[in-house]
Amino acid sequence: MIENLVGLHETVNYRKDMQIRLHNNDVCENYPPHWHTPFELIMPTESGYSVHCGEKEYVLDEGDIIIICPGVIHELFSPPKGVRIIFLVSLAQIDLQELDLVISMISPAILISPEKFPQIHAQIHRLMLEIRDEYFRNLPYTESSIYAKFLEILVLVGRCYAEIAQHNFEAKNNKQQEYMEKFLFICNYINEHYAEPLSLEEVASLAGFSKYHFTRLFKQYADTTFYKYLNQKRIAHAKHLLVDKNLSVLDISLQCGFSNLSSFLRMFRKLTGFTPTELRKMYDGDF
């Protein structure tokens, strides 16, 4: 299934003139650690499957769905028999500020099962089957239809998280809408300014909250802390810059908003499990 692998980087062979690829995979084969730029969604339709992302193992039963974010190193383990949908889709051409908030919620991956997400599992399961069927029908507007279904999956996940956050905060409806709009604005602001020396106090003031109130709300709405969200953006950018051999690790750390090299190295290892030099060697297949 992995057709073009250099080091850890897989170049996906998309369907002609599209940014999607789908395998109805029945091959009994494990796939080594790799990463790629599109999202990857896996749903076993017969038997189970196992996925490792970083230090976490996700065990999928038949009908479960895992969504793996772009740029995440992952490894796949197949049972002796089974079939699973493996769907890859790039959103590089789509610019939606809400998308970054959803990615922060599910990063590095999220497992959708009936037990963990009873509110949305059946709908996402249905959408995955529809995406598979649409892919192999080869009708006009196939790509548009598949993108619409994938975006619906992300909307279901995002709204599910938002409902959980709103329930936990117990705000009135008008406040819920106000807070959500503010946090979409804040996440967009971070996405545009993450390479600058942002502080929690500065961004909280921009949102019109005290830093303590902001910290609580950010955790509820983004399902992560402000600094973790900020550092995820910085390290994700750093991973892309490492491909350029002309940039030193120090140059990359400064371009990604870190004030010193030691803090960059510490955060990079914490979020990826590797040093920048190790990951750069893996990209080239030299590690």
Side-chain angles (χ1 to χ4, degrees):
M1 185 190 70
I2 298 180
E3 298 161 315
N4 299 297
L5 187 65
V6 178
L8 293 181
H9 180 227
E10 177 190 5
T11 301
V12 175
N13 287 338
Y14 294 114
R15 188 167 173 174
K16 186 179 179 180
D17 299 325
M18 298 184 184
Q19 292 288 297
I20 56 177
R21 182 69 185 270
L22 188 142
H23 306 271
N24 201 42
N25 180 274
D26 61 357
V27 177
C28 176
E29 181 181 358
N30 297 333
Y31 298 102
H34 62 285
W35 69 276
H36 39 65
T37 54
F39 284 88
E40 182 166 356
L41 287 77
I42 302 172
M43 186 179 84
T45 54
E46 295 179 20
S47 190
Y49 211 56
S50 180
V51 179
H52 288 188
C53 289
E55 298 180 354
K56 188 169 182 179
E57 179 182 11
Y58 299 84
V59 178
L60 285 71
D61 293 325
E62 188 173 308
D64 291 348
I65 306 103
I66 188 169
I67 305 174
I68 304 170
C69 289
V72 171
I73 298 173
H74 56 287
E75 190 173 1
L76 310 179
F77 297 90
S78 174
K81 293 182 179 181
V83 182
R84 74 284 316 175
I85 297 169
I86 299 180
F87 171 51
L88 298 114
V89 53
S90 172
L91 290 186
Q93 307 299 322
I94 298 178
D95 183 18
L96 297 171
Q97 61 174 320
E98 293 175 319
L99 180 60
D100 287 310
L101 183 56
V102 174
I103 291 175
S104 76
M105 292 172 178
I106 66 179
S107 183
I110 184 173
L111 177 61
I112 308 292
S113 67
E115 296 77 22
K116 292 183 179 179
F117 291 93
Q119 317 96 312
I120 60 175
H121 173 266
Q123 294 166 278
I124 294 178
H125 182 275
R126 171 182 56 79
L127 286 165
M128 285 293 291
L129 294 177
E130 290 178 358
I131 287 171
R132 180 196 61 187
D133 295 344
E134 183 71 40
Y135 186 86
F136 292 111
R137 282 196 190 105
N138 201 27
L139 296 173
Y141 303 103
T142 289
E143 186 179 30
S144 297
S145 175
I146 289 176
Y147 265 102
K149 295 178 193 301
F150 174 60
L151 289 174
E152 187 176 349
I153 289 173
L154 294 184
V155 167
L156 287 168
V157 174
R159 286 180 174 174
C160 183
Y161 270 101
E163 287 173 7
I164 292 171
Q166 291 167 356
H167 175 75
N168 290 340
F169 189 70
E170 296 179 349
K172 293 182 179 179
N173 287 336
N174 58 341
K175 280 292 183 184
Q176 291 174 356
Q177 183 63 29
E178 177 188 344
Y179 289 157
M180 181 56 69
E181 289 174 356
K182 281 192 175 184
F183 274 88
L184 288 173
F185 165 75
I186 287 301
C187 288
N188 189 52
Y189 182 84
I190 295 172
N191 296 341
E192 293 177 354
H193 299 275
Y194 62 82
E196 301 171 14
L198 298 180
S199 69
L200 186 150
E201 290 81 3
E202 173 191 349
V203 178
S205 176
L206 187 66
F209 298 122
S210 71
K211 68 176 184 179
Y212 303 105
H213 192 48
F214 177 79
T215 297
R216 180 187 174 197
L217 288 174
F218 196 96
K219 173 66 176 174
Q220 288 175 333
Y221 277 86
D223 199 39
T224 189
T225 66
F226 164 76
Y227 281 113
K228 185 174 180 181
Y229 182 88
L230 174 61
N231 284 321
Q232 284 174 336
K233 292 295 173 186
R234 289 173 169 174
I235 297 303
H237 185 49
K239 287 162 66 178
H240 288 290
L241 293 179
L242 282 169
V243 176
D244 186 349
K245 300 287 187 61
N246 295 318
L247 291 174
S248 70
V249 173
L250 176 59
D251 290 335
I252 291 172
S253 70
L254 296 175
Q255 287 190 33
C256 293
F258 289 89
S259 58
N260 59 75
L261 182 60
S262 61
S263 61
F264 170 66
L265 295 176
R266 185 171 58 253
M267 186 56 60
F268 196 96
R269 177 177 281 278
K270 181 178 180 181
L271 293 183
T272 69
F274 305 98
T275 67
T277 301
E278 287 172 344
L279 199 60
R280 176 171 264 171
K281 288 180 178 179
M282 289 178 180
Y283 287 171
D284 298 330
D286 298 331
F287 192 77

